[in-house]
Amino acid sequence: YEFHAGMAGIWFVGFFTMIMLVALISGIIIHKRIFKDFFTFRQNKGQRSWLDGHNASAVLTLPFQLMIAYTGLVIFLSIYMPAGVLANYSNPQQFFAELLDEPMHRPETGVHADVVDLSVLFQRAEVMMGKPGRFMSVEHPGDSSAVTKVFGWFDEKDYYGQLLRDEIGNVQFDATNGDVMNLNPPGEYDKGTPMAVQRVMRIMHFANFGGYSVRWLYFIMGMAGALMMATGAILFLVKRRQKSLNEFGAQTARVYRVIEVLNIAAISGLAVACIGYFWLNRLIPFDIADRAAWEIKGFFYLWLLMLVHSACRPATKAWLEQWSLFTLLALLLPVMNLITTGHWLVSYWQTGDWVSVGFELTVLVFGLMSLGLVLFLRRKLTATERYSQPAKPSEAIS
């Protein structure tokens, strides 16, 4: 949600989320046959079949897309619309402290200070909350502003189907001397209606209810939404090229080429970067400094490489080569996992590690789907090259 760019990333994501929300609402208004088209699919009709698939995936995921876009904006409402806070508070942190009934956030001082024994603080917090602790966090460790917070135990299954959860409880300590800064006891959520609404929006957005069944539903809806966007982007370019009126003058062909390159990089290039991220997770040494950061950097480097590749290759070949690479990486990822960890699908199944089982099966399914797409693109490329070749003299005479 920061796009790994801090506050600038939050604004970047928010800008395009707002565009997404406006596009969804305006699409509902101008598309008079939206639900009729949902039940229409004309097979083997070229662009018409792709358009029918685009419409079906759009209607199917419409409620989900609206929810994700709207709740994503609501979560960061105070950042995107800060006027009310800034008009009444010279320091926005004071507003959040009063809203949450917690001490103000302490900025880092740069003055070194040792942290007290955290295990002692953890035990004290359990006594104060009257329940076991689940985890603790430390902010600014080694600094005189260090703060630690201990959170109460909770079982996610207890919250299945609940959009407004009770407080799990937490205790905040000054990590340098062990003084109690705040106690938020477990119990019914009592931060007021506005905060309760915002809390529900956050839980809905992050699928923190319903367990894995809801998360699988979110995943399927998300992939269907991605399919809708991908087919829409491709169909838009194809139709605009066919009906081009040189709207960009002498640069029309170049503009459409730029859009084409961006489409390839945003669709197949992003897919390669995503599967490449999991390869990096297995290949980067564990003892390297900032390992997680290198995985993220590697993701963006791969994505940038796919953008360059898209610009350097003809469109059809770029699509084919990038999806071929994705297919190879997806189908071989379980093999790489076996080599680097010693575990594979069967061993995960035997130990009941269903998350890993689901991941490996999902990767294989996407790899096989991509293989089908590669075969389709290869047939299309072969046919195009055959028809574009000039006829031999003997064939021309006959």
Side-chain angles (χ1 to χ4, degrees):
Y1 291 86
E2 295 181 358
F3 216 65
H4 305 287
M7 187 59 68
I10 292 178
W11 278 99
F12 179 83
V13 173
F15 174 75
F16 285 101
T17 303
M18 178 59 74
I19 291 178
M20 175 181 174
L21 185 61
V22 171
L24 289 169
I25 296 175
S26 60
I28 296 172
I29 295 173
I30 66 176
H31 201 316
K32 298 179 180 179
R33 300 175 51 188
I34 185 170
F35 292 105
K36 181 179 180 180
D37 287 345
F38 174 70
F39 297 99
T40 303
F41 183 75
R42 284 151 286 197
Q43 193 173 2
N44 299 323
K45 296 294 183 180
Q47 289 184 29
R48 174 53 61 181
S49 298
W50 283 100
L51 181 60
D52 290 342
H54 169 75
N55 291 335
S57 60
V59 177
L60 177 66
T61 63
L62 182 59
F64 174 78
Q65 302 296 340
L66 284 169
M67 182 274 294
I68 285 293
Y70 180 74
T71 55
L73 291 171
V74 169
I75 289 173
F76 295 105
L77 181 64
S78 59
I79 295 178
Y80 299 139
M81 302 180 67
V85 176
L86 296 178
N88 294 279
Y89 294 86
S90 58
N91 184 355
Q93 294 298 331
Q94 183 181 353
F95 164 75
F96 292 109
E98 294 180 8
L99 184 67
L100 300 174
D101 193 22
E102 294 182 354
M104 286 183 59
H105 173 77
R106 302 207 299 191
E108 196 167 2
T109 63
V111 179
H112 176 76
D114 293 328
V115 174
V116 300
D117 189 344
L118 296 179
S119 62
V120 174
L121 298 183
F122 196 87
Q123 294 172 1
R124 287 175 57 193
E126 290 182 321
V127 173
M128 296 174 67
M129 291 186 294
K131 63 186 299 188
R134 176 156 182 169
F135 66 95
M136 70 188 310
S137 63
V138 181
E139 187 177 23
H140 306 320
D143 190 86
S144 62
S145 64
V147 172
T148 183
K149 184 179 287 189
V150 180
F151 295 86
W153 181 265
F154 68 94
D155 190 337
E156 190 172 353
K157 294 181 180 179
D158 295 337
Y159 295 105
Y160 281 5
Q162 294 185 23
L163 289 177
L164 184 59
R165 299 179 175 182
D166 293 337
E167 290 280 9
I168 61 174
N170 64 77
V171 183
Q172 186 171 330
F173 297 96
D174 185 321
T176 62
N177 55 32
D179 290 344
V180 177
M181 298 177 62
N182 185 65
L183 168 62
N184 185 18
E188 186 176 348
Y189 189 79
D190 60 353
K191 295 294 191 296
T193 302
M195 284 299 297
V197 172
Q198 202 269 356
R199 186 183 180 97
V200 169
M201 295 290 181
R202 178 181 291 272
I203 290 174
M204 289 179 62
H205 188 83
F206 292 108
N208 290 331
F209 68 99
Y212 286 112
S213 58
V214 170
R215 289 169 188 166
W216 272 110
L217 177 63
Y218 271 47
F219 175 74
I220 294 171
M221 291 293 101
M223 293 307 303
L227 177 64
M228 176 265 294
M229 296 177 192
T231 53
I234 295 172
L235 287 170
F236 169 81
L237 178 62
V238 171
K239 295 188 72 173
R240 292 292 295 181
R241 266 183 170 168
Q242 291 175 345
K243 299 180 180 180
S244 175
L245 299 175
N246 289 324
E247 53 267 46
F248 300 104
Q251 300 299 319
T252 298
R254 183 171 296 178
V255 169
Y256 284 134
R257 172 57 181 164
V258 170
I259 297 174
E260 185 174 56
V261 168
L262 293 176
N263 277 350
I264 297 171
I267 299 171
S268 59
L270 179 59
V272 171
C274 287
I275 196 66
Y277 173 84
F278 295 112
W279 276 75
L280 292 170
N281 176 262
R282 287 153 177 78
L283 293 176
I284 296 177
F286 281 103
D287 56 353
I288 192 173
D290 297 325
R291 186 177 188 274
W294 277 109
E295 292 176 358
I296 295 171
K297 291 177 182 177
F299 167 85
F300 284 107
Y301 289 150
L302 279 172
W303 198 3
L304 179 61
L305 182 62
M306 292 300 102
L307 174 62
V308 174
H309 174 266
S310 304
C312 295
R313 299 289 288 164
T316 306
K317 290 186 177 181
W319 284 113
L320 175 61
E321 290 163 359
Q322 292 192 16
W323 282 117
S324 297
L325 178 58
F326 175 85
T327 302
L328 184 66
L329 293 176
L331 294 179
L332 291 181
L333 182 60
V335 179
M336 172 56 66
N337 186 56
L338 175 62
I339 295 173
T340 55
T341 68
H343 297 287
W344 65 305
L345 183 61
V346 174
S347 63
Y348 289 136
W349 189 288
Q350 292 173 341
T351 57
D353 186 354
W354 304 117
V355 173
S356 297
V357 169
F359 174 79
E360 296 231 335
L361 286 176
T362 301
V363 168
L364 290 174
V365 168
F366 274 93
L368 293 174
M369 292 171 61
S370 178
L371 178 60
L373 179 59
V374 167
L375 296 176
F376 168 78
L377 291 173
R378 187 176 295 278
R379 288 195 301 269
K380 181 178 179 181
L381 179 61
T382 302
T384 302
E385 291 177 343
R386 183 170 61 248
Y387 289 127
S388 63
Q389 290 178 353
K392 297 179 180 179
S394 59
E395 294 175 345
I397 295 173
S398 61

